Amino acid sequence: MNASDITAMSPFVAAILVAAGVILVDLAWPGRRTAALLVTFAGLAIVAALTVAVGQAGTTAFNGSYRVDSLTTFLDLLFISISALTAAFAPDYLGERKLPVAEFNAVLLFAMSGAMLIAGSADLIVLFLGLELMVLPGYLLAGFHKTDGFSTEGAIKYFLLGSFSSAIFLFGIAFVFGMTGSTRIDAVSSNLAQVVAGTAPFSPALGLGLAFLMTGVAFKIAAVPFHYWTPDAYQGSPTPVTGYLSVGPKVGAFAVIIRLFAGALLPMAAQWNIMIMVLAALTMTLGNLVALTQDNVKRMLAYSSIAHTGYMLVGFAAFAAGQIQGLEGLLYYGAAYAFMNLGAFAVIAALQRRTGVSSNLATFAGLVKREPALAWLMTLFLLSLTGIPPTAGFFGKFYVILAAVQAGQTNQWMNVLAVLTVLNAAAAAFYYLRVVVYMFMRDPDAEVSVAAHGRLVWTGLTVTTVMTIVLGFFPGLLLDMVSTAAKAIG
Amino acid sequence: MPYDTLIPLIPLLPILGFAFTSLFGRRLQLRYGRWASELVPVGVVIAAWVVAMIVVVPALQHQAPFGDSGLDVKAWTWIPAGGLQVDMGFHVDALTACLLIVVTTIGMLVHVYSIGYMAHDRATWRFFAYLNLFMVSMLVLVLANNWLLVFAGWELVGLSSYSLIGFWYERRSAALAAKKAFIVNRVGDVGFALGIMAIFLNTGTLNIQDSLAKLVSQGASNTIPLTVVALLVFCGAMGKSAQFPLHVWLPDAMEGPTPVSALIHAATMVNAGVYLVARANPLFASAQDAMIVVAAIGIFTAFMAASIAFTQTDIKRVLAFSTLSQLGYMFAALGVGAFSAAIFHLMSHGFFKGLLFLDSGSVIHAVHDEQDMNRMGGLWRKIPITHGTMLIATIAISGIPPLAGFFSKDEILGEAFKNGFAWVWAIGVLVAIMTAFYMWRLMGKTFYGESHVDPSVAPKVHESAWQMTLPLVLLAIPSVFLGMAVGLPLGNGLLVQWLAPVFKGAEEILARPAAAETLLGLPTDTVLITISVVAAVAGLVVGIGLFGPRRVRQETIDRISSANGVMRFAYRLSLNKWWFDELNDLLFIRIGGRVAAFLWWFDRTIVDGTVNGVGTVVRDAGTGLRQIQTGRVQNYALGIAIGLILMAGSLLLIVGQPR
Amino acid sequence: MLSALNLISQNLNAYLVLSGILFSIGAFGFLARRNAISMLMSIELMLNAVNLAFIAFGAFLYSSNARHAAEASVIALIVMAAAAAEATVGLAIVIAIYRNRKTPLVDEYDAMRQ
């Protein structure tokens, strides 16, 4: 270990330190929300600054097990944004329920550091550690409302199944280690290239390893048929957590996919891409179909997040079929999805500020008359989730489909996938629109009191709104970053 | 050039109006009254109209900088290069200009009209916000220079029309109608989206002009056959322009406030499909099979809708079916290659149908929200301006010279015949008769004869406020003069000259042989015009005979019936209205009624049923699939384990394959 | 007997089969047990099976390259640490839900479904 190693890893280290700092501050001044929030946001700013500063260096560290490249920087910044927004949306909701804000922020920051570790991993074991560090705090967050039966139920389902899938994933890593003799991503990749070329011995155990790895990540991104935990965990979690869970661990898990499949296992893309395509098709179709039947908006958005996983997988399949645009589309989609979905959940959380307000559709009835600003913002986020141009969500879908169509020139099935995506996107409009209909075209059954929302919530909502609109009108701003990031792989 | 700033200003103004009204409208309305919230949205649309007119005049005359090919204005690079570059850009040529005239003029008048029409509603600010949003979407759709932006406008049009149709959501039927409109349009949208994908696959660009040129020059070497591309694009057009079998939403959409019906379902949104096909004219010209499909669906819709209009009693529904029918004409024109005739009809129809809808709104307003024509009648003295303007519009739509409808309809029929589509022509003439008939039926039932108005309402019937009558009068002007202004000389009027460069590509590809100069010993044109006029007059005469103003009064009847011989016959002739009733009974009620009833049934049961059925199947599938979410961890784990086994099995098979 | 054991201990596949069996037992236990604590233990078993696989691979890979063996041992230690962290979090959640529901049986946690 030397100075350059520490430099490369400094954003990650800083994130851990900030998390610890929040705990210490809470220890010193118990229950002082402002202090904890101050440390959180200041710390996040420092981490972001470090990320940008280190990102320009572009180095590997710790004997090649950690790597800082443009992809790391992009993903880190995305994770930081997600955490910052979550930290902004949560205090109102938590405070009303007497839940500790400082602990929440600390746990959230630990989860973020895990995601950052994933983004920079150049070794499968580091990858696994990052994954665990990301999901373990996630379980805690899901069960954060520990006196609430739904929250704990969602948490235990999430935890049990998540640990189960982690074990499966780890078994897959063991196989890859055994078959290639290394856990370093580039070494695995070059060994596999020899296997595929026929110059190195080949074992069917590699197929098993692939299957275990794919099951593991499919679970983490909530791809069908490994999605079962998603609706229950999302519905049960405190709403700001649901927002975080639907984007943070999802983008993080996609980072695993990128580092693992687009990095280590790329030589075997021809073998595993069929599975990705099947997963993508199943995931978006089932997610959308079931979302159509939901009356609880949180649960509906949970199923819709499954569908979005499917769209992102389409981008990844296009990448695996040889189109770098697929990876760009996936990254763009991830960022767009993060902002619009966090925004949507923030609105729900704001509505649920008062305890006892359910997330059923009925809560949204006549919202435009009670709180017109929230209603219009929610409409914007839902339109973006639907993919109506010109919003961020539209370009996410657009790039993914574009990449799929281009990949379709070499692989006919990619065309089918592209058409299926278009059909799914069309069907998805209905359940999103239902919420809009309730907000604008229904009158509430009973008089509902209006709760005030804190300044942090409004700031966060402004950011998500601006991003949703700006990325729709000027997608080029993000596209440059995305294509630089994708070049780190392609 | 100032045009570079003027053109983006046209959609920008309503955007600002929308943003302002949706943010501050409620507060303004609560604090200062409704006029305050209406000032901005109406003002921006009037401003947009002024700007549009400044742009339109030189664009139509192909002056610099527009020239023959039109002017491209780039606001900014929307999608930067790298595989694909798309600009946030606008393209204005003569075709765009024609649409701009219709959209902004009628849009503006509808905004003004709505001030009066919505005067008794609660949340007018929301209504005007939606109207502004609709204008934005429609203008973006028309002005766009690339398919992506067209698609953006396309989706937004659907969305804003949804909110407008469902504006009176307290009525369950309105909410359902809005939903249906959205679903059906979604079907068309998917087709259009796939069409755009196909265009991109074939050409690698999304710029409209470039991609069309490339599609045509590549011809048969396109990856995806042009017929498929054209049909996919047409699928989108069918949804928005309500062509069979995607027409089901339009009649139901009449649940919206009447100004909405005028704006969206007569003059603008439904024209989007016609515009789209006309814009893609070189594509369609290179795909002759698709053209025939367009023509067939168009003329079938024209006939079917006209026959259904016979038996409807809701005044707005008659107009809705009439709109379907006229749109069918436009598609028939597109299908036979008469592109400028289609646009001509689009414009004249926009004006007179917009007028008809606004008139019907004025009528409905006068009789206190009654829409059933059986509960109207004898209104013409009480609401003279409405009656006068509606009479003009009726004559115009019937195709009686020299009003607007005659020129455009005659051009469609003539072109169809000359381009060798005699069947389209024949059905078209039949539909012309039917049109004149059902329109006069509407007039008669509404304005003439005895009053069936609710006695409690009857004394209160009054002419509408000036905000409502002024647009009527203004719209009546183009309904009368548009044809004469741009349609003369026949077949080579001003409009045809204006549009010639736009459709040059298609004309060159089609390269139709010159039609025979004479028919039955007379110049072809003369014969065709005579036939159309006779058809229109025939329909009108039958209609007037049955529902006209000069029904015989009882005392006259008594006097004549006591006379003898010839007089008796004349009396009987007159009493029985030339036995038109019997003729009517036979032709229209027995035979026509059956056809209409069948088509109505077919429409409601089969077509509508299919549309609803798709939704049901999807929902059932969703309901079935959600059963696997049992709530128990063990079942989930088992699912994961099974997934793992399947995954491992298939990957072992794939990896194990010899390479 | 001894020679047979000797033969097995020289054979990578034997260790892998053992690891596979352990993993399967763990997975079966996870599927079959209703008690949250038992399920947690099953997961530990699965992780130990993975550790065995790592160690075996490390010992046999490329004729027992010492570096690989060391690497595998470190990995096993890391996995144990991760497993311990996982167990901590898991027990915390189990206790929380036990307080709410008064039962450790997970199939009774089905308030949310479909």
Side-chain angles (χ1 to χ4, degrees):
Chain A
M1 185 159 63
N2 53 36
S4 74
D5 289 347
I6 295 293
T7 313
M9 262 198 136
S10 59
F12 170 74
V13 176
I16 298 267
L17 289 179
V18 173
V22 173
I23 296 180
L24 287 177
V25 166
D26 191 46
L27 210 62
W29 297 281
R32 289 286 292 276
R33 229 166 76 151
T34 325
L37 285 172
L38 208 65
V39 174
T40 307
F41 287 110
L44 281 172
I46 293 170
V47 175
L50 275 176
T51 307
V52 173
V54 173
Q56 288 149 356
T59 45
T60 59
F62 291 101
N63 201 11
S65 63
Y66 189 86
R67 187 162 77 173
V68 179
D69 54 22
S70 48
L71 183 66
T72 318
T73 311
F74 175 81
L75 288 172
D76 281 359
L77 288 177
L78 188 54
F79 294 136
I80 294 168
S81 317
I82 291 171
S83 307
L85 286 170
T86 309
F89 292 138
D92 264 14
Y93 185 96
L94 298 176
E96 194 79 10
R97 287 163 180 73
K98 306 264 185 302
L99 296 173
V101 172
E103 275 176 37
F104 180 89
N105 284 352
V107 176
L108 181 71
L109 287 168
F110 278 122
M112 181 187 85
S113 61
M116 289 170 73
L117 192 58
I118 294 174
S121 60
D123 186 287
L124 295 181
I125 294 302
V126 177
L127 191 73
F128 175 75
L129 277 182
L131 188 63
E132 285 293 289
L133 186 50
M134 179 179 74
V135 293
L136 285 180
Y139 305 142
L140 290 179
L141 288 178
F144 204 74
H145 198 176
K146 59 184 177 187
T147 53
D148 178 64
F150 287 104
S151 180
T152 42
E153 180 182 327
I156 193 138
K157 285 176 178 174
Y158 186 20
F159 165 75
L160 285 174
L161 295 169
S163 310
F164 185 54
S165 78
S166 286
I168 292 173
F169 181 72
L170 192 63
F171 206 32
I173 292 183
F175 271 105
V176 170
F177 171 66
M179 295 300 118
T180 59
S182 176
T183 54
R184 290 279 188 278
I185 280 173
D186 39 5
V188 168
S189 169
S190 58
N191 274 333
L192 281 183
Q194 288 171 12
V195 170
V196 170
T199 53
F202 169 78
S203 159
L206 207 50
L208 270 185
L210 274 182
F212 278 79
L213 288 174
M214 199 167 272
T215 304
V217 291
F219 176 90
K220 300 292 181 204
I221 57 170
V224 175
F226 306 101
H227 66 285
Y228 307 99
W229 58 277
T230 321
D232 295 1
Y234 283 17
Q235 189 188 344
S237 300
T239 306
V241 174
T242 313
Y244 166 74
L245 286 183
S246 66
V247 292
K250 191 184 290 281
V251 179
F254 268 101
V256 173
I257 291 197
I258 293 170
R259 285 293 181 207
L260 181 63
F261 284 86
L265 304 175
L266 193 62
M268 299 195 76
Q271 277 77 37
W272 50 256
N273 196 21
I274 304 163
M275 304 310 292
I276 295 275
M277 286 162 71
V278 172
L279 281 181
L282 285 178
T283 304
M284 59 189 172
T285 311
L286 183 131
N288 277 323
L289 282 179
V290 182
L292 281 170
T293 67
Q294 299 298 326
D295 292 323
N296 184 312
V297 178
K298 265 166 84 179
R299 206 168 170 83
M300 184 270 276
L301 284 178
Y303 279 106
S304 111
S305 94
I306 296 177
H308 285 283
T309 298
Y311 303 141
M312 290 191 240
L313 277 177
V314 172
F316 191 69
F319 168 74
Q323 290 294 333
I324 186 76
Q325 282 97 330
L327 193 57
E328 292 172 10
L330 166 62
L331 292 174
Y332 193 98
Y333 205 115
Y337 181 69
F339 290 113
M340 62 199 184
N341 213 38
L342 276 177
F345 274 107
V347 174
I348 305 178
L351 291 181
Q352 286 190 302
R353 183 171 183 193
R354 290 277 158 82
T355 46
V357 178
S358 82
S359 53
N360 272 331
L361 271 172
T363 304
F364 290 81
L367 187 62
V368 71
K369 288 175 194 151
R370 271 180 289 147
E371 302 188 54
L374 283 187
W376 286 105
L377 289 185
M378 187 71 177
T379 308
L380 174 75
F381 298 134
L382 291 173
L383 290 185
S384 183
L385 285 166
T386 314
I388 303 269
T391 52
F394 169 73
F395 279 100
K397 286 207 178 64
F398 174 76
Y399 287 126
V400 162
I401 293 174
L402 191 72
V405 166
Q406 282 170 338
Q409 284 160 347
T410 49
N411 183 343
Q412 276 303 310
W413 290 104
M414 285 307 297
N415 280 330
V416 178
L417 210 52
V419 172
L420 196 63
T421 311
V422 173
L423 287 175
N424 264 295
F430 294 105
Y431 56 81
Y432 291 123
L433 211 68
R434 251 177 103 203
V435 184
V436 180
V437 169
Y438 266 81
M439 290 190 298
F440 284 81
M441 302 187 179
R442 287 274 198 291
D443 294 320
D445 296 334
E447 202 59 35
V448 191
S449 62
V450 178
H453 310 296
R455 209 170 292 160
L456 270 179
V457 170
W458 284 117
T459 315
L461 277 174
T462 311
V463 172
T464 47
T465 308
V466 167
M467 291 306 280
T468 307
I469 295 175
V470 165
L471 292 186
F473 278 94
F474 307 96
L477 296 177
L478 185 61
L479 204 62
D480 289 343
M481 281 185 80
V482 160
S483 58
T484 326
K487 281 196 188 79
I489 291 284
Chain B
M1 277 311 293
Y3 291 115
D4 289 352
T5 46
L6 283 181
I7 292 171
L9 208 55
I10 302 175
L12 190 65
L13 282 166
I15 288 183
L16 296 175
F18 165 69
F20 179 84
T21 312
S22 55
L23 288 178
F24 307 113
R26 180 160 165 268
R27 235 169 282 169
L28 283 175
Q29 187 168 346
L30 287 178
R31 194 169 298 170
Y32 303 107
R34 50 183 81 240
W35 66 269
S37 65
E38 289 163 358
L39 202 61
V40 171
V42 176
V44 290
V45 174
I46 294 176
W49 178 79
V50 172
V51 177
M53 287 307 126
I54 298 173
V55 173
V56 160
V57 172
L60 281 177
Q61 295 169 344
H62 312 147
Q63 286 172 2
F66 294 95
D68 277 357
S69 57
L71 177 68
D72 253 323
V73 177
K74 176 180 153 184
W76 71 83
T77 306
W78 199 14
I79 302 176
L84 168 71
Q85 179 174 345
V86 179
D87 293 337
M88 182 65 91
F90 306 114
H91 179 84
V92 178
D93 59 9
L95 179 58
T96 319
C98 287
L99 265 291
L100 275 182
I101 295 175
V102 176
V103 173
T104 54
T105 310
I106 297 179
M108 173 182 70
L109 294 177
V110 165
H111 272 76
V112 174
Y113 180 94
S114 301
I115 299 177
Y117 194 87
M118 302 303 284
H120 307 300
D121 237 82
R122 278 177 300 137
T124 35
W125 66 273
R126 245 180 336 120
F127 185 75
F128 280 92
Y130 296 161
L131 274 185
N132 268 196
L133 180 64
F134 178 82
M135 290 300 287
V136 178
S137 344
M138 196 65 207
L139 289 169
V140 166
L141 196 164
V142 169
L143 285 166
N145 80 341
N146 61 73
W147 293 111
L148 213 54
L149 203 51
V150 173
F151 188 70
W154 198 259
E155 294 271 284
L156 288 175
V157 161
L159 205 71
S160 41
S161 92
Y162 178 95
S163 50
L164 284 167
I165 297 170
F167 185 73
W168 285 328
Y169 56 83
E170 296 89 349
R171 295 187 197 166
R172 190 170 156 67
S173 52
L176 287 177
K179 195 165 138 195
K180 178 185 273 182
F182 193 78
I183 295 181
V184 175
N185 270 298
R186 221 49 203 163
V187 175
D189 291 353
V190 171
F192 187 34
L194 293 177
I196 293 178
M197 263 167 65
I199 290 174
F200 174 74
L201 256 182
N202 278 345
T203 63
T205 172
L206 283 175
N207 184 295
I208 296 178
Q209 307 298 329
D210 298 352
S211 65
L212 286 175
K214 217 163 173 183
L215 280 177
V216 172
S217 68
Q218 286 174 350
S221 61
N222 277 306
T223 323
I224 295 178
L226 287 183
T227 311
V228 176
V229 180
L231 285 178
L232 283 173
V233 172
F234 178 56
C235 187
M238 272 160 69
K240 279 279 176 292
S241 290
Q243 292 299 290
F244 177 86
L246 298 184
H247 65 280
V248 284
W249 64 271
L250 185 60
D252 288 7
M254 294 302 131
E255 289 294 339
T258 307
V260 171
S261 311
L263 177 64
I264 298 186
H265 310 119
T268 50
M269 172 175 164
V270 291
N271 290 342
V274 181
Y275 166 76
L276 186 69
V277 176
R279 178 53 82 198
N281 65 81
L283 165 64
F284 279 83
S286 332
Q288 303 274 339
D289 299 340
M291 294 271 279
I292 293 174
V293 173
V294 174
I297 286 185
I299 202 70
F300 176 73
T301 310
F303 173 76
M304 184 196 70
S307 72
I308 294 176
F310 274 21
T311 52
Q312 298 295 309
T313 55
D314 182 321
I315 184 168
K316 282 175 74 183
R317 273 187 181 257
V318 175
L319 292 178
F321 281 105
S322 157
T323 305
L324 288 181
S325 179
Q326 300 300 312
L327 287 166
Y329 264 129
M330 293 176 214
F331 278 100
L334 294 170
V336 302
F339 294 105
S340 43
I343 296 301
F344 192 2
H345 200 53
L346 182 156
M347 294 180 74
S348 60
H349 174 258
F351 289 117
F352 62 63
K353 186 54 67 63
L355 176 54
L356 281 170
F357 267 113
L358 293 185
D359 274 324
S360 77
S362 178
V363 170
I364 294 167
H365 211 65
V367 294
H368 291 236
D369 295 331
E370 180 60 61
Q371 300 199 7
D372 189 344
M373 293 192 295
N374 288 332
R375 299 170 63 94
M376 296 176 185
L379 291 172
W380 68 278
R381 272 181 207 284
K382 293 183 176 164
I383 43 175
I385 303 177
T386 308
H387 165 246
T389 47
M390 194 149 189
L391 188 64
I392 291 172
T394 302
I395 298 175
I397 194 177
S398 304
I400 305 288
L403 273 63
F406 162 74
F407 289 93
S408 52
K409 200 182 282 188
D410 178 67
E411 200 160 315
I412 290 177
L413 294 175
E415 291 273 327
F417 188 85
K418 283 185 267 184
N419 288 350
F421 289 84
W423 51 281
V424 172
W425 173 82
I427 302 174
V429 171
L430 180 64
V431 175
I433 303 175
M434 294 159 79
T435 307
F437 174 79
Y438 69 68
M439 280 315 296
W440 199 266
R441 172 175 172 270
L442 182 146
M443 286 299 285
K445 276 174 116 48
T446 310
F447 289 107
Y448 310 128
E450 287 168 23
S451 171
H452 302 285
V453 180
D454 191 328
S456 65
V457 174
K460 287 186 269 179
V461 171
H462 59 90
E463 185 59 274
S464 308
W466 68 269
Q467 295 98 326
M468 289 170 70
T469 48
L470 178 70
L472 300 182
V473 175
L474 291 178
L475 275 175
I477 297 170
S479 300
V480 176
F481 295 108
L482 182 74
M484 287 180 272
V486 300
L488 285 172
L490 290 173
N492 193 25
L494 213 47
L495 188 74
V496 177
Q497 292 169 19
W498 285 341
L499 288 172
V502 180
F503 298 128
K504 205 173 76 190
E507 300 290 345
E508 280 168 4
I509 300 166
L510 290 170
R512 304 232 185 249
E517 285 296 314
T518 59
L519 189 72
L520 307 169
L522 289 165
T524 313
D525 282 338
T526 317
V527 176
L528 292 176
I529 291 170
T530 315
I531 293 177
S532 337
V533 174
V534 167
V537 171
L540 210 55
V541 166
V542 177
I544 293 174
L546 284 170
F547 303 103
R550 292 182 178 279
R551 295 223 183 134
V552 187
R553 294 218 186 116
Q554 199 54 42
E555 64 262 37
T556 333
I557 294 168
D558 292 343
R559 204 146 35 83
I560 300 170
S561 60
S562 58
N564 55 3
V566 183
M567 281 303 284
R568 187 179 292 270
F569 174 75
Y571 161 69
R572 287 178 60 88
L573 193 69
S574 173
L575 175 66
N576 292 308
K577 296 167 224 146
W578 293 55
W579 287 282
F580 271 139
D581 270 346
E582 281 71 20
L583 188 70
N584 174 49
D585 190 51
L586 185 69
L587 266 182
F588 295 112
I589 307 301
R590 293 249 173 97
I591 302 174
R594 290 272 166 77
V595 174
F598 169 73
L599 286 174
W600 176 245
W601 171 84
F602 180 76
D603 192 49
R604 289 285 110 179
T605 319
I606 307 292
V607 182
D608 222 29
T610 314
V611 170
N612 294 332
V614 171
T616 315
V617 167
V618 167
R619 219 187 145 77
D620 286 355
T623 314
L625 281 172
R626 67 186 274 185
Q627 306 297 333
I628 58 174
Q629 196 78 19
T630 57
R632 301 199 170 175
V633 174
Q634 256 82 19
N635 298 356
Y636 298 169
L638 191 63
I640 292 172
I642 292 172
L644 172 62
I645 291 166
L646 286 178
M647 184 96 82
S650 12
L651 271 172
L652 277 178
L653 278 180
I654 297 166
V655 175
Q657 268 174 1
R659 267 156 297 139
Chain C
M1 184 65 197
L2 252 173
S3 62
L5 268 180
N6 199 31
L7 190 68
I8 291 171
S9 65
Q10 296 298 320
N11 190 344
L12 171 62
N13 284 340
Y15 288 99
L16 291 185
V17 168
L18 178 60
S19 155
I21 291 171
L22 277 178
F23 191 85
S24 305
I25 293 173
F28 177 78
F30 186 81
L31 293 175
R33 286 312 192 112
R34 299 162 62 213
N35 189 312
I37 304 290
S38 307
M39 292 173 81
L40 204 57
M41 288 161 64
S42 303
I43 291 171
E44 295 298 318
L45 190 58
M46 289 165 75
L47 288 175
N48 281 330
V50 176
N51 270 347
L52 182 61
F54 267 119
I55 301 284
F57 275 129
F60 284 91
L61 270 178
Y62 307 125
S63 55
S64 313
N65 181 329
R67 209 176 80 80
H68 279 113
E71 203 170 293
S73 312
V74 172
I75 291 174
L77 284 174
I78 291 175
V79 170
M80 281 179 200
E86 208 168 75
T88 315
V89 170
L91 285 173
I93 295 174
V94 171
I95 289 169
I97 195 166
Y98 187 81
R99 282 189 183 149
N100 284 319
R101 296 289 172 82
K102 309 288 176 225
T103 171
L105 302 183
V106 292
D107 53 356
E108 292 180 21
Y109 307 153
D110 61 350
M112 289 178 292
R113 56 168 90 174
Q114 297 204 330

